[in-house]
Amino acid sequence: MIDLHFCPTPNGWKIVIMLEETGLPYNVIPYDIFQGEHLKPEFAAINPNHKIPAIVDQDPIGGGAPFPVFESGAILIYLAEKTGQFMPSDPLGRSLVLQWLVWQVAGLGPMYGQLNHFGRYAPPPQEYAHTRYLKESERLTQVLENRLRVSEFLAGEYSIADMAVLPWVMGTKMFGIDLEQFPSVTRWLQTLSERPAVQSAYSKKATEPNPKYMQEKAKLNDEEWSNAFGEKQMASVRVG
Ligand SMILES: N[C@@H](CCC(=O)N[C@@H](CS)C(=O)NCC(=O)O)C(=O)O
């Protein structure tokens, strides 16, 4: 059994998609990050970075004590290795998957994330920051478009790299990126959205987004702001 420490955001949905695709049994443990549930000291044993998602594998590869994994990219790799699915074992095929996976976790995800922050959460005026992240996000989406023009999936076969990118691309409308300029991305999005595992991942009650945080401009009270972006964030990792 896999315990999935989850909140309904793109990084969380990546893991639900992989769990659905592989058929591994899992148990969703929901967190409300705006209430600071991920900042509790005991969560550090599972994720020292105090972010969602994380998993605990109760039946880890090779046996032994329950094994925690944090960072969505590392979780996808762990689950691919555990099941032998969605990542080829030949070194070049594996490298191709890892290249696009790392591109997502180090590039597309953080840039779309900042675009979301400055477009929907930060108080005005944020003109420079918002434009900076919009332009870089559009550039990265063009990189995705170029790749999907010549390849059905990101790394040849459907893989964990596609699963990592998909939930972020699903959010582009909310972040203010117009996918009409990106026909190959639209084709890929349509194909992947029709996969039964993807539909199942988004249809579960525990994985539904909270409408309160899905408005065009998310409005947080002071406590929620501190938990998500302010002092409580810092306090959770401060020692002594
Ligand atoms: N690099 C991390 C990012 C995780 C992350 O930023 N998670 C967000 C939700 S998508 C979170 O926990 N936000 C609450 C916070 O920052 O305190 C990963 O890919 O797992």
Side-chain angles (χ1 to χ4, degrees), residues 31-59:
Y31 284 68
D32 185 335
I33 54 178
F34 295 104
Q35 298 308 317
E37 291 174 354
H38 58 310
L39 305 178
K40 294 187 178 138
E42 57 270 28
F43 186 53
I46 296 170
N47 186 348
N49 195 34
H50 284 277
K51 304 271 175 187
I52 301 295
I55 62 166
V56 179
D57 187 355
Q58 300 294 340
D59 179 23

Side-chain angles (χ1 to χ4, degrees), residues 7 9 11 14 33 38-39 50-53 71-73 105 227-228 233:
C7 65
T9 64
N11 288 321
K14 294 173 190 179
I33 54 178
H38 58 310
L39 305 178
H50 284 277
K51 304 271 175 187
I52 301 295
E71 281 295 324
S72 61
V105 294
N227 284 326
Q233 279 280 308

Side-chain angles (χ1 to χ4, degrees), residues 95-104 143 147 154-155 161 165:
S95 171
L96 197 55
V97 169
L98 293 180
Q99 288 170 53
W100 284 104
L101 179 67
V102 172
W103 175 81
Q104 190 286 312
V143 173
R147 175 61 183 164
L154 277 170
V165 176

Side-chain angles (χ1 to χ4, degrees), residues 16 22 42 47 56 85 87 107 114 130-132 137 165 167 186-187 198:
V16 187
T22 54
E42 57 270 28
N47 186 348
V56 179
Q85 295 183 66
M87 184 166 63
Q114 293 304 326
H130 183 255
T131 305
R132 154 80 187 138
S137 296
V165 176
T186 304
R187 181 264 306 154
V198 172

